[in-house]
């Protein structure tokens, strides 16, 4: 084979096995695929199908020796990677092959600023430092859509929204302009407008650099938009692969057809104008001070939530949509009294705004949250069973051990997890499985009000539909009230009875969800909806020609 025809990445007959407790489980079973120069290949499949494990194998990032490769080869530019030493593979990581991880909060160093973390990559792989590194960092942050990047250089990861953290990860991966970029769910935490920007950016970089892309995702709309070829994985095997248009228009494997048919069914809880109000606020504000100088004088404020008024009635779902950084998550945290805010918060008829920690505790059982980043929200030192049972121990201490165990088993079963896995730890689960553990931890207490912060963002299409059905069933069975924060408008449309659209901390439009989706009034809402539906229905676009 001529060098010009040789694939940039050639994976042949690759298997991945994990050894634990005297046993062995096969996560990837003899898969083969290749990526040509300048080509984008997508790996799709349900959570736990082996997509991420396959990608991590390319850079030897699996936990060796617990992980092994019983069979196969991975060749990059004709060079076998599996046989390289740690020192040799380090010269390839970051330079020739870069990776964007699925969970930015656990991938970024919480003790270093954004400038320091991007600067470290520029220094280690390119010897760039000082003013040149700062200039390049600003260029990268601008490219990935970080507003006012100069103000973000001294920020730490916890001071950024989920979408902003993901954009920083993308900037770090692109810093040295690699030949191959592995993107593991890179747009999971991003709203639809920024998704469109990031996909356009990746397409532009592919065209400019001739960069190849291995794109791992559960979002089939994105696959149609960006990929040239697609590999469908199920149970550790590639069950179908081929050009995107061919696979999407004429799928051959039953699993591929099932995946393409998966879609959350629009069946939101009906509005209940006569139902009691579960939670309400008037002119709620969350302002973070900007301090400068030796005396840390306050010179201004970041208005994360700026004068929001809302009420949610029993059994309804309030959908909250908007760009990353618009204040959606901050609003949810403020309503739950997890961060400080100004303005009344009336929960179940009582103003809880001024209550102290001990006074708030009786309300905690009735208000729960499912966080956006499941890995960061789950203790790595606790088993799944202990994580789900922890709230029962705190709020329902009178339960016997047998009763508590039964509640844990039921909660795990309800969210589609095998109860036998409750003795395992979070790192042994995929991203989507960890999100289901987070949902089980919230619903096990049978709360009254649940804030769902991007609860389906880490789930593939099949489990998204199942999770929406589950949330809807739990809502009807227990008369639950939801605040559903999401950038996935398909999922919002399937659950929300009322909708508010946020931008820069303010509500730009609100009303019955069905009416807003049918006839948005503000320019911003129309642009948001247009971006979402364009992503979902766009035909296959390679973007590299």
């Amino acid at each position: 084979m001529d060098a010009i025809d040789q694939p940039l990445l050639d994976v042949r007959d690759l298997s991945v096995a994990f050894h634990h407790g005297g046993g062995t489980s096969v996560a990837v079973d003899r898969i083969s695929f290749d990526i040509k120069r300048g080509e984008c290949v997508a790996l799709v499949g349900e959570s736990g199908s082996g997509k991420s494990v396959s990608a991590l194998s390319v850079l030897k990032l699996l936990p060796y020796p617990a992980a092994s490769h019983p069979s196969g080869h991975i060749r990059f530019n004709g060079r076998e990677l599996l046989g390289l030493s740690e020192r040799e593979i380090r010269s390839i990581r970051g330079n020739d092959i870069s990776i964007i991880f699925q969970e930015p909060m656990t991938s970024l160093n919480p003790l270093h600023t954004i400038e320091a973390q991007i600067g470290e990559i520029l220094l280690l792989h390119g010897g760039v430092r000082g003013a040149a590194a700062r200039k390049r960092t600003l260029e990268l942050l601008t490219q990935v859509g970080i507003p006012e990047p100069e103000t973000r250089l001294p920020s730490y990861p916890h001071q950024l929204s989920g979408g902003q953290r993901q954009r920083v990860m993308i900037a770090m991966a692109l810093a040295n302009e690699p030949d191959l970029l592995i993107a593991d769910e890179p747009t999971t935490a991003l709203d639809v407008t920024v998704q469109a920007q990031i996909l356009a950016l990746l397409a532009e970089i592919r065209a400019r650099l001739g960069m190849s892309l291995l794109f791992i995702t559960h979002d089939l709309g994105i696959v149609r938009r960006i990929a040239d070829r697609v590999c469908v994985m199920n149970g550790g095997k590639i069950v179908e692969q081929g050009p995107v248009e061919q696979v999407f228009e004429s799928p051959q494997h039953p699993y591929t057809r099932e995946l393409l048919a998966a879609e959350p069914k629009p069946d939101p809880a009906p509005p209940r104008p006569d139902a009691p109000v579960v939670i309400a606020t008037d002119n709620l504000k969350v302002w973070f001070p900007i301090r400068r100088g030796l005396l840390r004088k306050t010179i201004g404020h970041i208005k994360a939530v700026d004068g929001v008024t809302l009420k949610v009635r029993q059994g309804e779902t309030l959908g909250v949509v908007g760009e990353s950084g618009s204040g959606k998550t901050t609003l949810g945290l403020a309503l739950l009294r997890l961060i400080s805010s100004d303005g009344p918060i009336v929960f179940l008829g009582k103003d809880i705004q001024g209550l102290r920690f001990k006074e708030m505790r009786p309300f905690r059982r009735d208000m729960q949250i499912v966080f956006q980043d499941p890995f960061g929200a789950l203790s790595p030192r606790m088993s799944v069973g202990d994580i789900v049972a922890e709230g029962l121990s705190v709020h329902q201490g009178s339960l016997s051990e047998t009763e508590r165990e039964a509640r844990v088993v039921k909660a795990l079963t309800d969210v589609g997890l095998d109860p036998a896995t409750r003795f395992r730890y979070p790192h042994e689960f995929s991203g989507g499985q960890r999100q289901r553990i987070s949902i089980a931890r919230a619903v096990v207490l049978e709360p009254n009000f649940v804030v769902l912060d991007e609860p389906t963002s880490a789930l593939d299409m099949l489990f998204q539909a199942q999770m929406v059905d589950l949330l809807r069933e739990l809502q009807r069975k227990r008369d639950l009230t939801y605040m559903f924060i999401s950038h996935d408008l398909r999922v919002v449309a399937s659950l929300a009875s009322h909708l508010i659209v946020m931008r820069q901390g303010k509500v730009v439009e609100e009303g019955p969800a069905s009416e807003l989706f049918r006839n948005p009034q503000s320019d911003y809402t129309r642009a948001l909806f247009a971006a979402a539906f364009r992503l979902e229905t766009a035909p296959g676009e390679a973007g590299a020609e």
Side-chain angles (χ1 to χ4, degrees):
M1 182 183 292
D2 296 336
I4 193 169
D5 297 323
Q6 179 177 291
L8 180 68
L9 181 72
D10 189 16
V11 177
R12 285 285 165 263
D13 202 30
L14 179 70
S15 296
V16 182
F18 289 94
H19 312 281
H20 47 82
T24 299
S25 60
V26 177
V28 174
D29 189 9
R30 296 184 177 275
I31 67 168
S32 297
F33 67 93
D34 58 55
I35 304 177
K36 300 180 176 61
R37 298 173 190 278
E39 184 182 37
C40 176
V41 172
L43 281 181
V44 301
E46 68 185 58
S47 177
S49 63
K51 308 185 299 294
S52 295
V53 170
S54 303
L56 292 173
S57 298
V58 174
L59 285 173
K60 296 189 69 175
L61 290 174
L62 294 175
Y64 301 100
S68 67
H69 300 286
S71 68
H73 301 277
I74 301 176
R75 295 187 177 90
F76 177 74
N77 258 336
R79 184 182 185 186
E80 177 60 51
L81 299 184
L82 288 182
L84 296 184
S85 67
E86 181 64 22
R87 183 175 181 179
E88 290 171 323
I89 196 70
R90 281 179 185 170
S91 67
I92 293 176
R93 293 177 188 152
N95 273 331
D96 302 315
I97 306 175
S98 257
I99 186 167
I100 304 167
F101 292 103
Q102 181 175 355
E103 292 161 340
M105 191 60 176
T106 53
S107 303
L108 296 170
N109 191 321
L111 302 179
H112 290 174
T113 65
I114 300 308
E115 181 176 15
Q117 296 191 58
I118 298 178
E120 181 181 24
I121 290 177
L122 295 171
L123 176 62
L124 287 177
H125 296 287
V128 181
R129 65 181 76 218
R134 185 182 178 89
K135 180 181 178 182
R136 176 63 176 151
T137 299
L138 288 171
E139 288 175 357
L140 289 165
L141 293 179
T142 301
Q143 279 185 334
V144 297
I146 295 284
E148 301 179 357
E150 297 88 351
T151 65
R152 291 303 184 184
L153 293 180
S155 297
Y156 291 86
H158 72 274
Q159 295 175 304
L160 304 179
S161 70
Q164 289 169 332
R165 287 193 291 264
Q166 189 64 284
R167 281 177 271 174
V168 170
M169 282 293 301
I170 294 171
M172 293 169 67
L174 297 176
N176 293 297
E177 300 184 343
D179 294 324
L180 172 64
L181 177 63
I182 301 172
D184 188 359
E185 301 278 7
T187 58
T188 291
L190 304 181
D191 58 79
V192 289
T193 53
V194 180
Q195 275 188 17
Q197 294 170 16
I198 294 300
L199 294 177
L201 170 65
L202 291 174
E204 185 272 326
I205 292 172
R206 284 179 59 204
R208 177 162 52 88
L209 303 178
M211 182 182 74
S212 300
L213 185 60
L214 176 58
F215 202 95
I216 301 166
T217 185
H218 62 258
D219 192 324
L220 299 178
I222 291 177
V223 173
R224 294 183 71 104
R225 183 175 178 85
I226 196 170
D228 302 301
R229 288 188 293 126
V230 59
C231 302
V232 181
M233 292 194 70
N234 184 30
K237 299 176 181 287
I238 292 180
V239 298
E240 186 166 356
Q241 62 178 301
V244 168
E245 186 174 348
Q246 175 185 314
V247 171
F248 276 55
E249 295 300 325
S250 181
Q252 301 301 305
H253 196 275
Y255 175 75
T256 308
R257 292 195 288 269
E258 184 183 3
L259 195 65
L260 290 169
E263 184 85 11
K265 297 178 179 62
D267 186 19
R272 294 168 56 179
D274 299 326
V277 174
V278 171
I279 194 163
T281 186
D282 182 37
N283 198 30
L284 187 73
K285 295 180 180 179
V286 181
W287 290 10
F288 297 108
I290 302 171
R291 295 187 171 95
R292 296 284 188 272
L294 184 63
L295 300 177
R296 309 299 293 163
K297 183 179 179 181
T298 299
I299 62 169
H301 291 86
I302 296 174
K303 299 178 180 180
V305 175
D306 192 16
V308 171
T309 298
L310 61 84
K311 64 174 63 175
V312 193
R313 296 184 180 274
Q314 185 93 32
E316 290 187 345
T317 298
L318 173 67
V320 184
V321 301
E323 292 177 329
S324 176
S326 62
K328 306 186 300 293
T329 298
T330 304
L331 174 62
L333 295 176
L335 290 175
L336 296 179
R337 290 289 316 283
L338 294 176
I339 58 174
S340 298
S341 61
D342 292 319
I345 300 172
V346 180
F347 181 65
L348 298 177
K350 181 174 177 62
D351 190 348
I352 62 173
Q353 180 62 277
L355 298 185
R356 295 188 295 272
F357 179 82
K358 286 187 177 180
E359 294 171 322
M360 271 299 300
R361 190 167 179 174
F363 293 93
R364 293 295 181 196
R365 174 187 166 181
D366 285 322
M367 51 168 59
Q368 291 292 306
I369 183 169
V370 177
F371 291 101
Q372 180 176 355
D373 180 0
F375 196 56
L378 302 176
S379 172
R381 298 184 178 183
M382 296 173 67
S383 69
V384 166
D386 289 339
I387 287 170
V388 177
E390 185 179 21
L392 295 173
S393 301
V394 172
H395 295 288
Q396 297 182 13
S398 62
L399 292 176
S400 68
E401 187 173 340
T402 302
E403 290 171 327
R404 191 159 51 243
E405 190 82 354
R407 291 275 291 273
V408 170
V409 167
K410 184 178 186 304
L412 291 173
T413 303
D414 282 346
V415 298
L417 286 174
D418 183 355
T421 63
R422 65 187 183 279
F423 305 108
R424 292 162 57 183
Y425 289 82
H427 72 273
E428 300 178 74
F429 293 84
S430 69
Q433 290 168 327
R434 287 194 288 262
Q435 189 63 288
R436 278 175 270 158
I437 294 167
S438 296
I439 294 173
R441 178 176 60 179
V443 301
V444 74
L445 283 168
E446 300 181 351
N448 195 295
F449 175 60
V450 182
V451 173
L452 300 158
D453 188 2
E454 302 280 6
T456 61
S457 63
L459 303 181
D460 57 81
M461 298 292 287
L462 286 174
F463 281 109
Q464 270 193 7
Q466 292 174 17
M467 193 57 63
V468 167
D469 289 341
L470 168 66
L471 292 171
R472 190 183 290 128
E473 180 186 351
L474 289 172
Q475 183 175 45
R476 290 171 179 169
K477 186 186 299 181
R478 305 180 185 181
D479 208 18
L480 283 173
T481 305
Y482 292 144
M483 178 176 176
F484 192 91
I485 300 167
S486 182
H487 63 260
D488 191 330
L489 295 177
R490 291 175 301 105
V491 177
V492 173
S494 68
L495 276 173
S497 38
H498 198 83
L499 189 67
I500 67 173
V501 182
M502 292 189 67
R503 187 183 191 190
Q504 297 176 352
K506 294 181 178 292
V507 174
V508 296
E509 191 165 357
E510 67 172 310
S514 58
E515 185 177 320
L516 241 64
F517 278 114
R518 187 172 57 251
N519 187 26
Q521 298 299 306
S522 76
D523 292 340
Y524 175 73
T525 306
R526 285 194 289 269
L528 195 68
F529 290 179
F533 299 130
R534 189 163 58 245
L535 275 173
E536 290 169 18
T537 59
E541 299 171 15
E545 282 76 34

